[in-house]
Amino acid sequence: MNGPEVNDLLKIAVPNKGSLAEGATGMLREAGYRQRTDAKELVLIDETNGVEFYYLRPRDIAVYVGEGTLDLGITGRDMLLDSEAEADEVMSLGFGGTRFRFAAPGGSTMSVADLDGKRIATSYPGLVRTYLASHGVTARLIHLDGAVESSVRLGVADVVADVVETGTTLKRAGLELFGDAILESEAILIQRRNSPAPEGLGLLQRRLNGVITARDYLMVDYNVPRDLLDAACRVTPGLDAPTVSPLAKDGWVAVRAMIPAREAQRIMDDLWDTGADAILVTSIHACRL
């Protein structure tokens, strides 16, 4: 059987470098799509799945999707909002999480209202401009490509708006965080605004959701006396209900259920205390729920 025509392929933009690139290609591979093995490769056709991947600068992806050149893209929520492109978020992907905060010398005593008339250095002027407008604040934005924490010391700005992980870099520059987070960002799937869903989007979403669920959950198997089954099932209710099977051992049953990965050790302890034994926890490679 011949594959789909090239013009019929679903065109998806993927980050070509950085942490978003690693996370996106890893997730797509887990979802069953081919991905490039050579970082110099700019386009990859996956005929089996009817997809054409374009590897682009993360900041440019929202523009290409917003202009309708490509059907879908994976980028950061921060980059989508900063671009002000005609594209919308379809789903979050659960990786690449970042927070944006304001920081300034003596910032612990400041509020967002105090930014009125100030000079704010940032690598995300579109994002910050929209945030300030929503709070009725007018400020001068200084667009820098990186290392914005140096701008205050060098006299270019009064305040910075930047990605914050631990805040250590800002503290070293003599800056203090203040105000609420400007944005909680992460990797997202986007499509052109006010456009019909492209063919293949539903399948892509199901596969990506399966990867996300597989990463967030584990499978637990254990044996438990039948008279303790109700107590054990309260510990492992599963997504719908646990699977219970009789054992050759009289009065015992085997139980299987999905559990949140972050709670696996506590759940194993609780099962043991309940009277279960032969408790095994295994990873889930893929799923459909």
Side-chain angles (χ1 to χ4, degrees), residues 3-9:
E5 296 292 332
V6 172
N7 290 339
D8 295 332
L9 297 176

Side-chain angles (χ1 to χ4, degrees), residues 166-180:
T166 63
T168 302
T169 302
L170 294 173
K171 289 178 182 177
R172 286 200 194 107
L175 306 176
E176 297 177 353
L177 300 174
F178 68 92
D180 296 329

Side-chain angles (χ1 to χ4, degrees), residues 25-139:
T25 55
M27 174 169 274
L28 288 167
R29 280 197 186 96
E30 289 182 52
Y33 296 95
R34 284 185 57 213
Q35 287 298 288
R36 64 180 184 175
T37 56
D38 183 352
K40 295 180 181 179
E41 196 171 5
L42 302 180
V43 180
L44 182 143
I45 296 177
D46 181 354
E47 292 188 6
T48 301
N49 291 297
V51 178
E52 190 170 9
F53 294 103
Y54 291 80
Y55 299 90
L56 305 170
R57 292 178 68 250
R59 280 182 171 272
D60 295 338
I61 287 175
V63 176
Y64 281 102
V65 174
E67 291 297 320
T69 306
L70 301 176
D71 300 310
L72 303 167
I74 295 176
T75 188
R77 184 178 293 122
D78 53 346
M79 296 176 192
L80 168 63
L81 297 178
D82 188 61
S83 72
E84 300 177 327
E86 292 294 309
D88 290 321
E89 179 175 336
V90 175
M91 64 179 290
S92 58
L93 300 178
F95 68 89
T98 55
R99 291 183 303 131
F100 286 77
R101 298 285 303 276
F102 290 113
S108 59
T109 64
M110 296 179 64
S111 67
V112 174
D114 295 324
L115 294 172
D116 205 67
K118 294 290 195 299
R119 299 170 301 165
I120 304 176
T122 183
S123 299
Y124 294 81
L127 172 61
V128 177
R129 185 184 305 112
T130 299
Y131 182 85
L132 294 175
S134 69
H135 287 75
V137 173
T138 302

